[in-house]
Amino acid sequence: MASRSKAKVITLPSPASRRARAEKKERDTGRPVGRMPSGTDVLQKWFEEKGVRQVKLGAVDLDGVWRGKYVSVEKFFSACKSGMGFCDVVFGWDIADELLDNTQVTGWHTGYPDGMCRVDTSSARIIPWEPDTAAFLLDFVTADGSPFEPSPRQLLQKVGARAREMGFVPKFGAEYEFFIFKETPQSLKDKGYTRLTPLTPGMFGYSWLRTSLNAPLVHDIINGCRDFGVELEGFHTETGPGVFEAAIRYDTLEKIADKAVLFKTAVKEICARHGLTACFMAKVDPKLPGCSGHIHQSLWGIKSEENAFHDPDARDGMSTLMRQYIGGQIALMPELTALYWPTVNSYKRSVENTWAPVTATWGRENRTTAVRVIGDSPKSMRLEYRQPGADMNAYVAMAASLAAGLWGIENEVEPPEVCAGNGYASNAPPLPRSLKEAVALLKQSERARQLLGEEFVDHFVRTREWEARQYERAVTNWELERYMELI
């Protein structure tokens, strides 16, 4: 059983040989194994050992926002047996809970019924800052029990299954940059989201001093995330006032995606307990670099358990398969951009000479490109997908980038010439400059629909078209300051 301080998948003790087979099956399928058929008995014992008094259930919507609720222990075990209803309005409103006027999967025409959810009991965690509370993830399903296509977590699982059908175990990692402000939700609103006070002043990247000065908060984030089952490999200040970066330890695709989306809410909740606000917008200040959400990726053979991206006989260590994987990502990058840059604000980050890509490029150890090849050994060979910002929905961005890479392998797509210099000066295909432009490309993309599913792409496009329309109607502070007096 898991200790009180660390979150673990709930499994039963088994003989060594059985455990080894179970671990291999888990690697091959991406799904935890080894639970009893009547798993509620195991869970009840675990609840008693941990002193669980209530359960928090949740799922991530298309905007990457957690939607969930507390339920009683009795209600939880009932849901484990027969599923539970969850109002499907979470697929029918936007990030501000404003009802969409263009959806098909739900709306006034359906009456916003409950959607059916299954509890993923393998996702069991104790919330360290709520030690009597267990947390579980939900999967939306249809009436016949099949995955609900518009759900981001189910999208990721589908693409992960496709990788395993091709003989690969995807291993991913995630990095996030984010601001921390000395603000609360109320002070943000009172200030009109302007003139905010950052946790630390000035530009001081990789500061040994600033992290030590804020050690109580930093330690709470590092230790809290670890005890929440989200182990961080690194944590440091980034260049910018109150800006930090965290690297989440790599794992298999499905696990790391869960950890990536849980990380953001963990940081927000921990910061709130210090009277602070964590912000994962892609671009907070026009004078400062934006906040990235880089995704590290590699494919490993199911049978060989070797890094399929590495070829010891290749001059650069890159296997043909890795080149084709990159080729697919570069080829599909412009038309899939809306999946990586899902908000209006995402595109404010994509500016030359600010560490974010503006063209579909790749290079070795080159941070001016959209895809960066890292390492040269069987253990370290991987790529860093640098296009997404901190506002990405990790389920969607990881699924899209993996799907594009697999498409490249299937179609033996060679990448363009490697970018050896300044990626901002290259003649590579430009990336869309606005959400409206990116959504139009995605809407027209037959390859996106083939790779990700018609129903998911259709619903995602509708939500992003709505988002772009809301921005077009908005009157911004920039317009007021520029035109009110003078025009």
Side-chain angles (χ1 to χ4, degrees):
M1 294 295 179
S3 70
R4 187 171 184 85
S5 64
K6 292 189 178 181
K8 299 288 186 181
V9 173
I10 302 174
T11 58
L12 286 175
S14 58
S17 60
R18 182 179 176 186
R19 186 181 300 114
R21 290 195 301 270
E23 289 174 352
K24 184 178 187 303
K25 185 175 181 180
E26 180 175 331
R27 290 194 303 271
D28 294 349
T29 64
R31 305 292 295 171
V33 296
R35 296 190 303 277
M36 287 180 64
S38 55
T40 54
D41 293 337
V42 179
L43 285 172
Q44 286 174 339
K45 183 178 180 181
W46 187 72
F47 274 32
E48 292 171 1
E49 291 177 350
K50 300 301 180 184
V52 173
R53 302 181 65 184
Q54 59 270 325
V55 180
K56 200 168 191 179
L57 302 174
V60 169
D61 66 14
L62 278 185
D63 287 292
V65 175
W66 277 100
R67 305 287 185 172
K69 63 176 76 173
Y70 289 98
V71 299
S72 67
V73 172
E74 294 75 17
K75 174 68 174 178
F76 168 76
F77 282 110
S78 174
C80 286
K81 293 178 181 178
S82 56
M84 65 175 287
F86 199 116
C87 182
D88 75 358
V89 73
V90 296
F91 293 97
W93 61 22
D94 65 12
I95 196 170
D97 288 9
E98 188 169 350
L99 295 174
L100 307 176
D101 63 8
N102 61 345
T103 57
Q104 289 187 336
V105 298
T106 191
W108 295 119
H109 61 288
T110 66
Y112 296 107
D114 275 355
M116 182 57 66
C117 291
R118 287 178 180 159
V119 179
D120 182 352
T121 55
S122 73
S123 65
R125 287 169 163 82
I126 296 296
I127 302 176
W129 44 96
E130 299 180 55
D132 59 354
T133 305
F136 292 82
L137 307 186
L138 296 173
D139 283 324
F140 285 87
V141 295
T142 62
D144 64 5
S146 60
F148 181 61
E149 292 291 334
S151 175
R153 192 168 190 249
Q154 276 83 333
L155 171 72
L156 181 96
Q157 292 169 359
K158 180 172 73 173
V159 179
R162 177 62 183 139
R164 289 176 173 82
E165 289 173 1
M166 295 173 64
F168 305 118
V169 176
K171 294 186 180 181
F172 277 45
E175 297 174 342
Y176 281 107
E177 296 170 350
F178 54 97
F179 281 77
I180 298 179
F181 294 106
K182 294 180 178 179
E183 307 288 350
T184 65
Q186 188 61 53
S187 70
L188 290 174
K189 187 173 181 62
D190 292 344
K191 290 183 174 183
Y193 303 93
T194 61
R195 298 181 176 86
L196 307 180
T197 303
L199 179 63
T200 57
M203 313 286 277
F204 203 169
Y206 298 101
S207 170
W208 178 294
L209 174 64
R210 289 281 166 82
T211 48
S212 291
L213 291 177
N214 293 281
L217 171 65
V218 172
H219 292 178
D220 277 357
I221 291 175
I222 294 173
N223 296 330
C225 285
R226 182 197 62 234
D227 295 344
F228 198 41
V230 183
E231 183 181 352
L232 303 184
E233 284 192 322
F235 190 94
H236 62 87
T237 64
E238 256 295 349
T239 182
V243 184
F244 292 83
E245 178 175 350
I248 304 170
R249 189 181 190 279
Y250 74 92
D251 209 327
T252 52
L253 174 74
E254 295 81 3
K255 290 182 179 180
I256 192 63
D258 285 343
K259 293 176 182 180
V261 294
L262 286 166
F263 169 77
K264 291 173 75 170
T265 193
V267 170
K268 287 177 179 289
E269 293 178 34
I270 293 169
C271 282
R273 281 158 176 75
H274 286 259
L276 306 168
T277 293
C279 173
F280 289 82
M281 284 179 62
K283 190 81 165 181
V284 174
D285 189 320
K287 298 178 182 179
L288 298 172
C291 293
S292 68
H294 298 157
I295 305 172
H296 291 249
Q297 314 177 18
S298 59
L299 297 180
W300 293 67
I302 288 178
K303 295 182 178 180
S304 67
E305 299 185 8
E306 295 178 350
N307 188 348
F309 279 2
H310 182 258
D311 182 353
D313 297 325
R315 184 180 62 180
D316 54 8
M318 292 175 56
S319 68
T320 298
L321 184 140
M322 184 180 190
R323 292 182 59 83
Q324 293 170 347
Y325 188 92
I326 294 172
Q329 292 186 326
I330 297 296
L332 300 187
M333 191 177 293
E335 65 199 77
L336 299 185
T337 285
L339 300 163
Y340 308 122
W341 292 345
T343 73
V344 168
N345 183 253
S346 302
Y347 300 80
K348 307 297 175 68
R349 168 177 165 264
S350 178
V351 179
E352 290 185 359
N353 304 319
T354 59
W355 307 103
V358 298
T359 54
T361 52
W362 74 283
R364 175 175 283 279
E365 285 294 357
N366 190 335
R367 287 183 169 88
T368 70
T369 58
V371 175
R372 169 184 168 225
V373 175
I374 302 173
D376 57 8
S377 70
K379 180 179 179 180
S380 65
M381 196 84 187
R382 65 191 187 278
L383 63 85
E384 177 188 51
Y385 203 86
R386 296 178 58 83
Q387 185 181 13
D391 60 346
M392 70 170 173
N393 183 330
Y395 289 128
V396 175
M398 290 183 182
S401 60
L402 174 59
L406 296 177
W407 176 84
I409 293 171
E410 289 179 306
N411 293 277
E412 300 181 352
V413 179
E414 275 294 312
E417 184 178 352
V418 63
C419 181
N422 185 355
Y424 297 112
S426 73
N427 293 320
L431 299 175
R433 303 306 313 137
S434 70
L435 180 60
K436 185 175 182 178
E437 180 185 347
V439 171
L441 290 176
L442 180 62
K443 188 175 185 177
Q444 298 165 5
S445 174
E446 290 299 323
R447 291 180 292 198
R449 296 174 188 275
Q450 293 168 1
L451 296 175
L452 305 176
E454 176 71 35
E455 192 170 355
F456 175 84
V457 173
D458 178 75
H459 183 64
F460 186 87
V461 164
R462 290 172 183 272
T463 66
R464 297 311 100 183
E465 287 178 334
W466 162 273
E467 193 75 9
R469 279 193 284 129
Q470 305 320 295
Y471 178 67
E472 289 173 345
R473 297 170 181 170
V475 178
T476 66
N477 288 343
W478 183 88
E479 294 167 275
L480 295 175
E481 294 171 2
R482 192 171 187 86
Y483 301 129
M484 181 173 283
E485 178 186 1
L486 302 177
I487 200 165

